[in-house]
Amino acid sequence: MENDKKIKANGWALIPIAIFLVLYLGNGIFFEYICPVEGQMGFYVVSVVLAFSISLIFAFIQNRKLSFDEKIHLCATGIGDDNIVIMLFIFILAGAFSGIASAAGGATSTANMLLNIIPKGFEVPGLFFIACLISMAMGTSVGSITVLVPIAVAISSNGGLSLPLCVGAVVGGSMFGDNLSFISDTTIAATKTQGVAMKDKFKTNIKVSLPAAIITFAILVIYSFMNKGETLGNFDFNIWQAIPYFLVLMLSIIGINVFLVLIIGILLFVLVGIITGSLVYATALSSIGTGISGMFETMIVTILVASITSLIRNNGGFEAILSFIRKRAKSRVGGMFGIFSLTAFMDIATANNTVAIVVAAPIAKEIGDEYGVEPKKVASLLDVSSCIMQGIIPYGAQLLVASSIAGIPSFNFIPYLIYPFVLCLFVIISIVFDRKKN
């Protein structure tokens, strides 16, 4: 990196990204909407790992001035970055936590307990509120959607309420929690790539996320007043299975180290699961292993992206993007819009908010340094913009999973995804009226 100042802008260095877009986004659209594969979601026909692997090969082919060994060294330098290593370790613990929490029945019990507390007739705003809490505690929007959409379907059917709205409330709340959770892979990726504390990013993030959530909740309350459904019955839950989630949430918010929080959460769920009979020793071990395995793809993608971005940076690709933004961004505000737009585009292209953050983060960091945008603000913009797009695109895992469970096309949810659209508006307002703008 000592030669960074001598690197010249080179748009051709971005070809590996273009190749990835063609392979992943192009094939995803083809297999999802043009030539569907029976029993398989189109955007999962071509593995994101395969697409990035091929892109890495093309990145190696470029720049003949460097030897193969020198290119390997560049990749190793990118992978060996302190923040990348920390991120990989946290992914392992986050996977273990997610696996044991799900197997112990924590998510379902927590959701059902909260549903019993919510006043009758306000199930839709209740679903949104519960999704916010569950997703913050679980650290995964897809996991929260998987747990809560079946409940949303039951509420819609039994209460005579709009199914797309009920599911949209769950998706919106799940994106809120995923965006703010201290153990979410998006939060981990956004903070570690920018070298900031999670609590600092949280404080910056919540200034736009919380008002957006409050307005969304208010809209859903108004809907509930205007469209009273039938009274629903009680939901079964075990309060002991819910307690670890609330403890993990509390420890995260007060700023306890994320490694310690995850380890405490894992041990609590093992203990609670065995005591309540939802787990035995063997299933506890297997569920932890399954959870960790579920993070393997994200970890491999992180390694591949770190390698690709190191090569692209050295070949002048980052400088090409920065030059493009410089011509249009004349101030700190312009730089923030550049980060927002870059990350949103990457999410549209990859259909994965964590991958989008990992790809955009190195460029966003350079934009932040050049335009005086604090690292915590950069981290917040990375996380928020990726979650906005991930909560809207109909081919993302969140809407595809919701669509599969609810039995209706993912496009049907888009008009009812209130929170992502409101959040987008608040982010734009927060950038335009940034108090430290030039």
Side-chain angles (χ1 to χ4, degrees), residues 67-89:
S67 68
F68 181 80
D69 287 343
E70 287 173 323
K71 293 174 182 177
I72 287 290
H73 178 71
L74 284 171
C75 292
T77 301
I79 297 169
D81 181 84
D82 288 357
N83 291 319
I84 296 294
V85 174
I86 291 172
M87 190 161 58
L88 293 173
F89 287 156

Side-chain angles (χ1 to χ4, degrees), residues 122-141:
F122 291 90
E123 283 80 9
V124 178
L127 282 171
F128 175 75
F129 178 73
I130 291 168
C132 290
L133 292 180
I134 294 294
S135 188
M136 280 192 70
M138 291 181 70
T140 163
S141 52

Side-chain angles (χ1 to χ4, degrees), residues 117-175:
I117 296 173
I118 292 168
K120 302 302 179 183
F122 291 90
E123 283 80 9
V124 178
L127 282 171
F128 175 75
F129 178 73
I130 291 168
C132 290
L133 292 180
I134 294 294
S135 188
M136 280 192 70
M138 291 181 70
T140 163
S141 52
V142 174
S144 303
I145 289 168
T146 302
V147 169
L148 293 176
V149 168
I151 297 174
V153 171
I155 288 174
S156 170
S157 176
N158 297 336
L161 301 169
S162 167
L163 178 56
L165 180 63
C166 289
V167 175
V170 169
V171 173
S174 297
M175 299 314 298

Side-chain angles (χ1 to χ4, degrees), residues 349-372:
T350 62
N352 185 304
N353 45 349
T354 306
V355 173
I357 291 171
V358 173
V359 174
I363 304 173
K365 186 173 180 61
E366 294 198 19
I367 295 173
D369 291 342
E370 183 158 337
Y371 289 95

Side-chain angles (χ1 to χ4, degrees), residues 13-22 55 308 312 318 321 345-346 359 363:
L14 299 172
I15 286 179
I17 295 179
I19 290 171
F20 170 78
L21 296 181
V22 171
S55 299
I308 293 170
I312 290 176
F318 282 12
I321 294 175
F345 171 75
M346 288 299 180
V359 174
I363 304 173

Side-chain angles (χ1 to χ4, degrees), residues 53 204 273 295 380:
S53 297
T204 304
M295 282 290 186
S380 175

